[in-house]
Amino acid sequence: MKKRVGSSPGVRTEGGGRGVVSRASPGAQSLNASGRPRSQGPRQVVAVILMWRGRIGLFKRSGSVQHDAGLWHCITGYLDADSDPVRQAVQEIWEETLLPARALEQLTAGPTLRLADPRGGPDWTVHTFLACTSQRRLTLNWEHKAYRWVRPGKLPQFDGQVAWLTDVLRAVDSLPSAKARDGVAS
């Protein structure tokens, strides 16, 4: 049986909710995929929880990534201001696992989160998604060095998770398909 969790401090969903949102620090700057400076508004990413047979895919970030190397995470990717979050989610799944869109049984958008940057930079806008596949074997790109399909109750056993993975898991936990996984034997 899966334990239900509530919202976490420091996080709010778009359109309401509670939480603390930091302001951008002067001079803070990040680069987009093209190497050009991003705007100083919230930085946008997609975060996809990939599931197979009621198990959550955890991905161990490689030493080749700039942030959170060696930590367990979900599938993520930057979203440029003019990009569609759904298309970007499908693109990130393909890039990071080689799963084509046709291998997805479902892709459901969850709430959009607003997270404060722990380093004091601009806030992060996180477009959450839940994707389900029947394909167990994945082919990882350079961003990850390992993956595991984990039963929801076993997630705490994976030390070294990216700090905001829990926020993304909580966000998609309220989706109908996430509730359906509770019926899967642990």
Side-chain angles (χ1 to χ4, degrees), residues 41-163:
R43 295 172 286 182
Q44 297 201 38
V45 295
V46 295
V48 182
I49 300 298
L50 184 62
M51 295 190 71
W52 168 76
R53 293 189 177 178
R55 296 176 186 199
I56 296 168
L58 287 184
F59 299 84
K60 190 161 201 164
R61 297 186 43 90
S62 76
S64 301
V65 295
Q66 287 183 336
H67 300 291
D68 303 321
L71 299 180
W72 293 98
H73 204 9
C74 59
I75 294 171
T76 59
Y78 284 104
L79 179 69
D80 286 327
D82 57 347
S83 298
D84 174 53
V86 174
R87 286 186 185 164
Q88 191 64 40
V90 171
Q91 179 66 29
E92 294 300 332
I93 293 168
W94 164 251
E95 287 177 6
E96 297 184 26
T97 67
L98 284 186
L99 280 178
R102 69 181 179 277
L104 299 178
E105 297 172 336
Q106 169 192 339
L107 177 65
T108 306
T112 299
L113 304 177
R114 183 91 170 233
L115 303 177
D117 186 300
R119 294 176 283 260
D123 298 337
W124 291 90
T125 299
V126 182
H127 302 271
T128 64
F129 291 89
L130 178 66
C132 298
T133 184
S134 60
Q135 189 168 322
R136 179 180 184 199
R137 296 197 188 275
L138 306 174
T139 302
L140 301 178
N141 72 355
W142 61 272
E143 295 178 57
H144 306 289
K145 62 181 180 180
Y147 72 95
R148 299 289 183 272
W149 295 111
V150 181
R151 296 180 200 276
K154 302 283 184 183
L155 286 171
Q157 294 177 5
F158 280 78
D159 289 332
Q161 296 178 21
V162 171

